[in-house]
Amino acid sequence: MAALLGSTYAKAETLVMEADVWCPVNCAENAERPGIFIELATEIFAEAGITVEYRVTNWARAVLEVRTGRVNALVGAGIRDAPDLIFGDVAPGISRNCFYARADSTWRYTDLASLEQIRLGVINGYSYGEQIDNYIRRHQRNPDRLQQAAGEQALELNVRKVELGRVDATLENTWVMSLYQSQDPTAAKLVQVGCRVPDVPIYIAFSPVLPSSKRYSDILDDGVRRYRQDGRLETLLQRYGIGSQR
């Protein structure tokens, strides 16, 4: 029996994923509802006999640890976040980023030029699409145009800065802000003042230096296709209050 148990344990396979909290895409580590992408990946990989372990850290560290192969996968990444990682052919979701300001703000986002009128709060290391990423790079050393929050409380910090008038608007994923506003009375006072287009596909991306990454990416792609076709992905989205993305 001991030899049999040893053989079983030897064959166990665990895939480790990391990200900062970006709920409802990925939430707290041990939450009853750990997030759309976490539940989706856990179910898909379980069908292949693979256990998913999910860890929360800050975004910059998560990118580095996946890039160097210390962990297998990065959750909620856009291709521009870390283009050297291994991305699948099928994006499990999209990121629609919109600008949020105080209710008394007269500013509205219309195009990139309109950003020159305000102080914008963003999250350090995030990608918001090519045009806005370029804008961030141009103004990253100018706090009168741009301020970057970091760490696990970055969204909360940006919301507080808007409320206190330290920045005029913050840019955030609509899924994330909707959930956050439902839980925080201060955040609920912010209003949407325009959205960046087009939407950005978001993925679970895999380490470029681990030999298992291509197989994991293929397993996830196949699973997302099946779950989308048979309605299980739609059901999962609805559990988190998210409508269809088709």
Side-chain angles (χ1 to χ4, degrees):
M1 176 65 74
L4 179 59
L5 288 174
S7 175
T8 300
Y9 289 134
K11 292 179 181 178
E13 186 175 359
T14 300
L15 185 161
V16 182
M17 306 192 304
E18 279 190 354
D20 61 352
V21 171
W22 199 32
C23 204
V25 177
N26 55 286
C27 306
E29 284 183 30
N30 299 311
E32 181 180 348
R33 300 175 71 180
I36 295 166
F37 278 27
I38 306 305
E39 288 197 41
L40 180 66
T42 298
E43 293 177 14
I44 289 172
F45 284 109
E47 294 173 353
I50 300 166
T51 299
V52 167
E53 179 182 338
Y54 166 56
R55 302 174 184 170
V56 170
T57 185
N58 68 71
W59 183 252
R61 179 176 177 179
V63 172
L64 177 63
E65 294 201 332
V66 175
R67 180 172 282 142
T68 57
R70 295 174 192 167
V71 298
N72 300 100
L74 182 68
V75 183
I79 292 176
R80 290 183 60 85
D81 286 315
D84 55 316
L85 302 191
I86 293 176
F87 289 82
D89 296 326
V90 183
I94 58 169
S95 175
R96 177 166 297 147
N97 288 313
C98 292
F99 296 86
Y100 296 84
R102 286 171 29 157
D104 59 1
S105 173
T106 59
W107 179 80
R108 295 295 182 268
Y109 175 78
T110 53
D111 54 25
L112 204 61
S114 65
L115 292 179
E116 300 287 350
Q117 305 166 19
I118 65 162
R119 292 162 298 172
L120 176 65
V122 297
I123 296 178
N124 183 42
Y126 276 21
S127 173
Y128 298 95
E130 183 175 3
Q131 284 191 328
I132 292 178
D133 287 353
N134 289 337
Y135 178 87
I136 290 171
R137 276 192 292 273
R138 287 200 308 272
H139 296 287
Q140 59 186 339
R141 299 186 185 279
N142 183 358
D144 291 329
R145 285 286 173 265
L146 185 82
Q147 296 182 27
Q148 301 188 66
E152 295 178 14
Q153 305 301 319
L155 170 57
E156 180 181 355
L157 179 58
N158 279 337
V159 168
R160 296 293 175 262
K161 282 185 173 184
V162 174
E163 273 296 306
L164 294 170
R166 294 176 183 169
V167 297
D168 301 298
T170 187
L171 180 59
E172 187 52 78
N173 174 277
T174 54
W175 288 6
V176 176
M177 186 61 87
S178 178
L179 180 65
Y180 189 71
Q181 288 184 312
S182 73
Q183 299 170 342
D184 186 292
T186 299
K189 298 175 184 178
L190 271 58
V191 297
Q192 195 178 109
V193 291
C195 298
R196 184 232 58 210
V197 292
D199 296 333
V200 174
I202 50 176
Y203 300 80
I204 295 173
F206 297 90
S207 174
V209 299
L210 296 177
S212 57
S213 292
K214 181 62 168 64
R215 178 169 65 92
Y216 287 155
S217 183
D218 289 344
I219 290 171
L220 184 65
D221 271 357
D222 178 66
V224 172
R225 289 188 186 99
R226 287 186 290 107
Y227 278 45
R228 187 164 281 150
Q229 184 173 15
D230 64 22
R232 280 183 286 178
L233 180 55
E234 180 72 15
T235 299
L236 176 59
L237 291 171
Q238 289 173 355
R239 287 208 300 270
Y240 284 84
I242 306 299
S244 175
Q245 291 189 317
R246 295 186 180 186

